[in-house]
Amino acid sequence: MVKYIFVTGGVVSSLGKGIAAASIGCLLESRGFSVTLQKMDPYLNVDPGTMSPFQHGEVFVTDDGAETDLDLGHYERFTHARLSQRNNVTSGRIYEQIIFRERRGDYLGKTVQVIPHVTDEIKRWARRLAEDAEIVIVEIGGTVGDIESLPFMEAIRQLRHELGRDNSVHVHVTLVPFIAAAQELKTKPTQHSVKELRAIGIQPDMLLCRSERPLSDELKAKISLFCDVDPKAVISARDVESVYEVPLVFAEQGVDEQILRMLGLEGRAGRRDLDRWIDMVGRLKNPQGEVDIGLVGKYVGYEDSYKSLKEALLHGGLAHNRRVNISWIEAEELVWPDCVPRLQAYDAILVPGGFGKRGVDGMIHAIRFAREYQVPFFGICLGMQTMVIEFARNVCGLDADSTEFNPATPHRVIYKLRELKGIDELGGTMRLGAYPCRLAEGSLARKAYGVPQISERHRHRYEFNRDYEKVLTAGGLRITGETPDGTYVEICELPGHPWFLGCQFHPEFKSKPLEPHPLFRAFIGAAIEHRERRLAETRALSVPTAHGR
Ligand code: GLN
């Protein structure tokens, strides 16, 4: 019998429900169980693919090409679950299906209603995962009390009833704010949130109380009394430096132990094995030095839109026991050649993915800087495309551009994906998900991955135009990754440069703290070497010589 854990949130949004769900998954895996996770998002967009990253944060892409909520990124980084289309559902997707069926006449004259039609469909989505793992963790987006999340709450209430008490657990994530004037942690918002949950028929089994400081036993007892939750199941989810500490904070308070007992699984549980995780967190908190990376892009300040990238850089640093300091550089501020001294402060430059024309000139200046000054450079998706444009312009002397930024450009070195020509809608028209890529012998990529063929995830509309392959390679650019059928260019490099690589895919989606991605590991390695060269040069310059005196 598959077991379910439902995770809801109360009081305010942004409490880290996704991290909490992922951490529970991590802990249960450490006890020997297989887990999978699902995010249910109450908004009406069919998927987050068309939502602004300003509003919604990163769009995470799965192997099968689903554009999903960024929480799926946490799920994959914290567990071994293999996620797909089926692991993220929105109200929009559910209504789309129901309305389609209604128009087709499937309901045979019945009145189509939220209960039972919408709730049944939600339950179907949750039940579909039963074959994937021993334990399914379902996280409901939004906050208890939101109008739009009500059908989801009702569906999981019904589901608990159908599954039986012993086969499901309800975990509620709340806030226990610290009120400075009173110098006290306050439990009232949590009490209200649980009251709201009980009003819709859900009694939580465990409370994960987010707070700035640890909850005392006295406070836990108070929350326990008012909310009718076992005092041991009132968990102090205090703020931590790194999200990767959360599973350890939960482990200290026996979250796994209690959940397994509630699910009747304690007899089958193995000893908790978090050794590698503990070692990783230890290295993360005690780095042997640091490295400074300049990230040149748009949406600067909106770090959530580059969640996976930030994590992948951090993982790359972990592989070398270094702390990675990321500086978010607004591309629009860069002009040539004034940007040179500013960019010289970094050990490496990265241009991430993005859409639209704004900031592209600045990205091109940053790439020119990295190329001419021999600074390690990593271009991802848009970053590879701008790397090709920069090379075409400044090395091959072409008046080149991408048709995304200038449809009338004389040299379209980047142009719209062949198979998408003639399609103008924005939803669901991109090259999405995992595709194989063959790596060239003797390339940086081949060396980093250590294998001849890889699979990576994509999310783009434009591509390298192979009509320009001859002129660009004659200029010194090398194509080092392509699809096995030779259709798409996936990786470009610049031989002779210490580390200069652009890829059309998004390697950041597959990086994990325990398995840092090969390209990020290699990029950070190159950045460290550059840093050492840089420091050696400044030292040499500051040593007074006989001539200098
Ligand atoms: N805008 C570019 C394209 O659509 C790059 C996309 C990206 O960086 N994800 O191809």
Side-chain angles (χ1 to χ4, degrees), residues 187-197:
T187 65
K188 194 72 86 185
T190 294
Q191 294 179 39
H192 278 295
S193 180
V194 172
K195 196 168 148 196
E196 191 113 32
L197 207 53

Side-chain angles (χ1 to χ4, degrees), residues 352-356 380-382 385 404 459-462 504 506:
F355 294 83
I380 295 178
C381 204
L382 177 67
Q385 298 174 356
E404 180 179 9
R459 182 170 187 254
H460 64 122
R461 242 179 229 112
Y462 295 82
Q504 188 55 76
H506 289 272

Side-chain angles (χ1 to χ4, degrees), residues 273-288:
D273 181 5
L274 282 173
D275 295 353
R276 291 186 65 215
W277 197 273
I278 291 168
D279 165 69
M280 179 269 291
V281 171
R283 285 186 293 117
L284 190 67
K285 295 180 80 168
N286 301 292
Q288 311 292 307

